[in-house]
Amino acid sequence: MGADRQQPTVRPADPPGDPSAHARETGPTVAEYVDLAADLDEAVAGDVRFDEYAQVLYATDGSIYQARPAGVVFPRDIADVRAAVGVAADHDVPVLPRGAGSSLAGQAVGPGCVVLDTSRHMDGLLSVDPEARTATVQPGIVQDDLDAELAEYGLKFAPDPASSNRATVGGSIGNNSTGAHSVRYGITDAYTEEVKAVLPDGSLLHAREVVLDSPEYEEIVSKDDREARVYETVRALVEEHEAEIAERYPDLKRRVSGYNLDRVVYENDEGEEVINLAKLYVGAEGTLGVVVEATLGLVTVPEETALALYCFDDLVDAMEAVPEALEFEVSAVELMDDEVFRLAAASDGYAEYVEPIPEGTAAALMLEFDSELHDDFEAAVAATNDHFVAEGAAFEVVEAYTEADQNDIWELRKAAIPLLMSLEGDPKPYPFIEDATVPPAELAEYVGEFEEVLEDHDTSAAYFAHAGSGTLHIRPILNLKTDEDIQKMRSIADDVTDLVLAHHGAFSGEHGDGMARTEFNPKMYGENLWTAFKEVKTAVDPAWLMHPGNVVYRDGSEDVGPDSDRGVGADMREHLRYGPDYQSLEPQTALDFEDEGGFSHLVELCNGCGTCRQTDSNTMCPTFRASREEVQATRGRANILRAAISGELPEEELYSDRFQEEVLDLCVGCKGCASDCPTGVDMAKLKAELKHEYHQEEGTTRRDRLFGNVDRVSRLGSALAPVSNWAQKLPGADFLGEKLFGVAPERALPTFRRETLVDWFRARGPGVPEAEARDRVLLFPDTYTNYSYPEPGKAAVEVLEAAGVHVEVLDPDDVAPSGRAAFSMGLLDEAGERARTNVDALADRVEAGWSVLFVEPSDAVMFQDEYLDMLDGEAVEAVAAGAYGVCEYLHTHRVHDHLDADAPAETLTYHGHCNQKALNRDHHAAAALRRVGYDVDELDSGCCGMAGSFGYEAEHYDLSKAIGRILFEKVEESPGETVVAPGASCRTQLGDREGGERPPHPVEKVREALD
């Protein structure tokens, strides 16, 4: 074991102050597993965590369920997995393999299990054979990352779940995942050629094609071991139940319930009858062992695609069009309904994607065409237009041929599930029967009968997803905090499973069994096959230690050990995240949470989908990207916070050092979750409120006050410059800063200018008289621009005046600092006072037609967003509406039309500010640069890692640099010659990179174009 290994975190569990019954049912205490944790730590090289935070973090996934595990192991290799499984067996504790935890049926949670999280270390692409079109991977590799590595060969892994930007391939194998292109490619079991799996006894099974009765087969079954028993049992069961398998397994492109007895014995390409247990592990949900390696079949990537979105004014009409769509050569047939469009239109992150959808669209059917099937996209689309619009029920078509336009439509489609979970209030469209699958020709009739079931239960649902495969995500809207709706959920599931059977369908076509559907498998497969499933499970796992109770369950008569109740019974109503006894605190808050339905409702908006675990696009979650720690993702923070406000953790946990340091202080406040999280969990807002409450209880530190009032320090530093700058360079200054204020000695602090931006403007005066101006603006003197780096402020004045705009730079004696620094530190009283001062000072002028402009994006967003959370009234709303980042103003007011600009032939790499991205305003700077003649490469980048004071804090320096390196890599890959960034923090971080120069502000490049 390495010398730098972490010791297992094992802390006694404090009893909750007033837990609900729900909280008492969540699982074991930490103290029960001290010996197990110690033995695991001795046996494996990876981290072992059995503290209460680890239990809470891994108690939920993307489903409606919650069950505390015993603890978590992060194995580094196969040897670690084998050791962990062996130790768990010695302690008679079950094991659960887990990837990203994005499962929707509860497959990634298990009460009292040792969770093996393979997503951190076992995430490699081991080999690629381009000629054979295969790749061998570890289970923790994220599918999008795999496809990115395969791109150089023109290959990809065909199944494409909507969660592919964070879902792991191991999870896809465990779930038998698929996605929008199953019409063309099928599902995971068709592409899983070999697996290596650790069995419950710690042995390693290499599952691959083995010719029946061949010498290889005879050698396997001749041994007296677990592998031999598995082969013999599975073969015997397949042969014994051949007729019933043919009758009971539905003939569908998608069926992911039960064990794959219908696919494990088949004829190979040489015409030989083979047995391939790899097919059995696909969809087994970790119940037959831990997949530690897999060889996958790959497909070629079409060079081009096109989309046609057909709009119907009636859902049934869209359903009836599905089988007709399959008569054309299409690679995807997807459905979205008006509820998805409505929610997207109301979401900051997705509103732009719904703009092309015509008014009156009750349902839209999306058809994709690819270049491997069509040489002429326009001709292909014209043919479907004739069928669905000219001769059919569709009233309009939206065509998309460019990659950007297609991506917008796919983003809308992929966001459907989490968007639906953002509905206001406790009733939500929950997943429990939403991926039932029927033959596409029966969809319209099935939907009509499903509607009758909903009417009988006095509820409604939203409709979307993979219509071409007969899989519709129909989510009944229920309130699972009430016993009435919990019972209603079970009744709906019972009725719908009857309905699915009547249509020769499958209870699950995508999301698997888990806790939601396992209890219905006997109904689907009948007594004989159900018994066969249990025999398979027992042959592989005699003690039922691998994720017991999923896919199959016991009636209690099976002999699995003394007094064991593992895997006995299955009831979809057990282990719910919420329930009739669920309670949560609703504290009195300094900020206004009315729009979010209250503080606790904002916390509970996290549905566990794991979008915050994505690592290569959008903004959130920067700390998770750098650390891969679940607690540092928005989901992790929300889970810990929800546990604290619901009684699952003690209420005083909110004020503990650990909660403050691990959960709150490591949130950089980038606000990316406010837009990137499909349900809008604004952790930056929650953090500010919680830090405020903490300060009310515990007071503030010297550093909190320093950084929260940095404007005063900067004003003094400017007045004393250049002496203040020399003082920073004195021997021991870094040491003193770290000891007194916790400032990282590696960071160079900002220097100060004796002549401030305000001084410069006061001496210079306005360049455009107000009477002759085409518009009037007030430039806000943010702390950094005014006292440390005035050049962007000067550039803003000169650009605006060149366009005939009258500019006044506000005097710090007339306004207060924006309050951003205080807000970020949780000093909400100070931030609120500054907000009130500024609104009072500016409201009349804004009403008179003036705009308020900001060089620093975080200050602009403070006015545009956070002021509305701190103050009420028409005045603050008017000031917020009149506030602009300077480049936002240039673009939205078409200032370029009045500029004589001729930019040099230069490509700029643009890194947008995360706060502006959260409000969907970061694109204005790139647009302004293009308007004056630059080529601009907009980075799909997250937070820079400085985040105001965060990067200066000694304990956060390493994490700040790790986040920064992610940005640096994107910068290096960009074709741009010059990096530009509007945020002062971003420019500081980029300037600190090796060989890097401090980038200019975009407005400085606009001024350069004027020359």
Side-chain angles (χ1 to χ4, degrees), residues 929-992:
L929 290 166
R930 290 191 182 101
R931 294 293 188 183
V932 295
Y934 291 105
D935 289 329
V936 183
D937 178 37
E938 291 185 72
L939 295 182
D940 185 3
S941 53
C943 180
C944 68
M946 278 299 288
S949 64
F950 182 86
Y952 288 105
E953 295 163 359
E955 71 273 25
H956 298 148
Y957 173 78
D958 289 339
L959 181 57
S960 170
K961 294 299 289 185
I963 297 171
R965 283 191 288 272
I966 297 171
L967 171 60
F968 301 163
E969 290 177 7
K970 288 185 177 288
V971 169
E972 290 167 4
E973 294 169 359
S974 170
E977 301 151 72
T978 304
V979 184
V980 294
S985 291
C986 307
R987 300 199 302 277
T988 297
Q989 182 81 298
L990 287 163
D992 284 351

Side-chain angles (χ1 to χ4, degrees), residues 634-656:
T634 302
R635 178 175 72 178
R637 294 185 176 101
N639 275 331
I640 295 293
L641 180 52
R642 180 171 48 80
I645 66 174
S646 66
E648 192 180 333
L649 291 173
E651 182 183 344
E652 56 269 23
E653 184 67 26
L654 294 173
Y655 306 104
S656 71

Side-chain angles (χ1 to χ4, degrees), residues 185-203:
Y185 298 112
I187 61 179
T188 297
D189 59 43
Y191 299 93
T192 305
E193 300 187 1
E194 299 182 22
V195 301
K196 290 181 180 177
V198 174
L199 299 182
D201 64 352
S203 62

Side-chain angles (χ1 to χ4, degrees), residues 158-162 176-184 186-188 254 331-334 410 413 466 469 509-510:
D160 58 343
N176 200 2
S177 295
T178 181
H181 293 88
S182 60
V183 166
R184 171 113 150 83
I187 61 179
T188 297
R254 294 162 169 258
S331 50
V333 179
E334 298 286 293
W410 278 116
R413 162 59 194 87
H466 318 295
S469 299
E510 183 170 13

Side-chain angles (χ1 to χ4, degrees), residues 618-622 668-676 684 820 856-858 861 865-866 910-922 941-948 963 967 981-986:
N618 296 331
T619 304
M620 73 170 183
C621 183
V668 298
C670 70
K671 292 178 68 70
C673 47
S675 58
D676 291 354
R820 166 60 67 193
E856 175 55 40
S858 62
V861 172
D865 190 33
E866 279 87 358
Y910 171 66
H911 166 64
H913 194 279
C914 48
N915 284 179
Q916 286 188 317
K917 290 180 180 181
L919 269 61
N920 195 28
R921 300 183 188 221
D922 68 298
S941 53
C943 180
C944 68
M946 278 299 288
I963 297 171
L967 171 60
S985 291
C986 307

Side-chain angles (χ1 to χ4, degrees), residues 9-16 26 28-30 49-59 68-70 640 643 647-650 653 658:
T9 314
V10 181
R11 298 184 178 134
D14 297 323
T26 53
T29 63
V30 173
R49 298 187 186 172
F50 271 60
D51 60 293
E52 199 163 25
Y53 274 27
Q55 290 182 344
V56 169
L57 290 170
Y58 285 83
R68 276 205 193 188
I640 295 293
E648 192 180 333
L649 291 173
E653 184 67 26
R658 186 181 188 194

Side-chain angles (χ1 to χ4, degrees), residues 56-379:
V56 169
L57 290 170
Y58 285 83
T60 56
D61 55 7
S63 72
I64 60 177
Y65 294 101
Q66 172 172 307
R68 276 205 193 188
V72 187
V73 175
F74 300 90
R76 292 186 175 273
D77 50 30
I78 294 175
D80 264 7
V81 174
R82 297 181 72 174
V85 169
V87 170
D90 290 342
H91 285 263
D92 200 38
V93 173
V95 171
L96 166 63
R98 172 169 163 142
S102 57
S103 304
L104 291 171
Q107 301 98 312
V109 297
C113 288
V114 173
V115 174
L116 302 182
D117 184 346
T118 62
S119 68
R120 180 173 302 171
H121 303 300
M122 298 180 69
D123 61 349
L125 170 59
L126 302 179
S127 65
V128 181
D129 185 339
E131 292 186 7
R133 293 184 183 176
T134 61
T136 300
V137 303
Q138 294 179 304
I141 191 168
V142 172
Q143 176 153 342
D144 279 4
D145 295 343
L146 170 62
D147 286 343
E149 293 197 59
L150 295 173
E152 66 176 293
Y153 307 104
L155 299 171
K156 67 176 181 178
F157 183 49
D160 58 343
S163 57
S164 62
N165 61 2
R166 68 268 192 198
T168 64
V169 171
S172 293
I173 291 171
N175 189 66
N176 200 2
S177 295
T178 181
H181 293 88
S182 60
V183 166
R184 171 113 150 83
Y185 298 112
I187 61 179
T188 297
D189 59 43
Y191 299 93
T192 305
E193 300 187 1
E194 299 182 22
V195 301
K196 290 181 180 177
V198 174
L199 299 182
D201 64 352
S203 62
L204 186 65
L205 172 70
H206 181 192
R208 71 279 188 194
E209 282 191 358
V210 177
V211 178
L212 288 175
D213 301 323
S214 67
E216 182 182 19
Y217 178 81
E218 294 300 335
E219 181 182 357
I220 291 172
V221 299
S222 66
K223 299 175 183 178
D224 183 21
D225 61 10
R226 185 74 56 87
E227 182 181 26
R229 289 194 293 276
V230 173
Y231 270 92
E232 290 179 318
T233 299
V234 172
R235 178 180 184 179
L237 290 170
V238 170
E239 292 175 350
E240 177 186 352
H241 298 288
E242 182 179 3
E244 194 156 7
I245 288 171
E247 178 186 350
R248 282 281 186 174
Y249 281 80
D251 183 18
L252 298 167
K253 287 185 178 290
R254 294 162 169 258
R255 190 272 311 154
V256 298
S257 292
Y259 291 134
N260 288 339
L261 293 180
D262 61 329
R263 296 167 191 176
V264 73
V265 176
Y266 54 91
E267 194 174 280
N268 67 11
D269 293 340
E270 286 73 38
E272 301 166 310
E273 192 173 24
V274 300
I275 183 170
N276 189 348
L277 295 182
K279 307 299 183 182
L280 191 66
Y281 277 87
V282 180
E285 299 183 3
T287 61
L288 302 179
V290 183
V291 173
V292 291
E293 193 175 295
T295 298
L296 309 171
L298 308 173
V299 299
T300 54
V301 181
E303 292 184 4
E304 294 180 295
T305 57
L307 290 178
L309 193 73
Y310 292 98
C311 304
F312 298 82
D313 56 17
D314 183 81
L315 177 65
V316 174
D317 287 343
M319 293 293 95
E320 291 176 344
V322 171
E324 300 169 22
L326 295 174
E327 295 176 7
F328 295 89
E329 287 190 305
V330 291
S331 50
V333 179
E334 298 286 293
L335 177 89
M336 292 177 281
D337 78 346
D338 53 359
E339 184 67 5
V340 174
F341 302 146
R342 184 186 69 81
L343 291 169
S347 166
D348 287 338
Y350 295 93
E352 63 181 297
Y353 302 134
V354 81
E355 289 176 4
I357 308 300
E359 189 175 347
T361 303
L365 203 61
M366 181 175 75
L367 277 59
E368 184 188 76
F369 308 83
D370 72 54
S371 56
E372 293 185 345
L373 297 174
H374 296 277
D375 295 327
D376 186 340
F377 286 146
E378 292 187 0

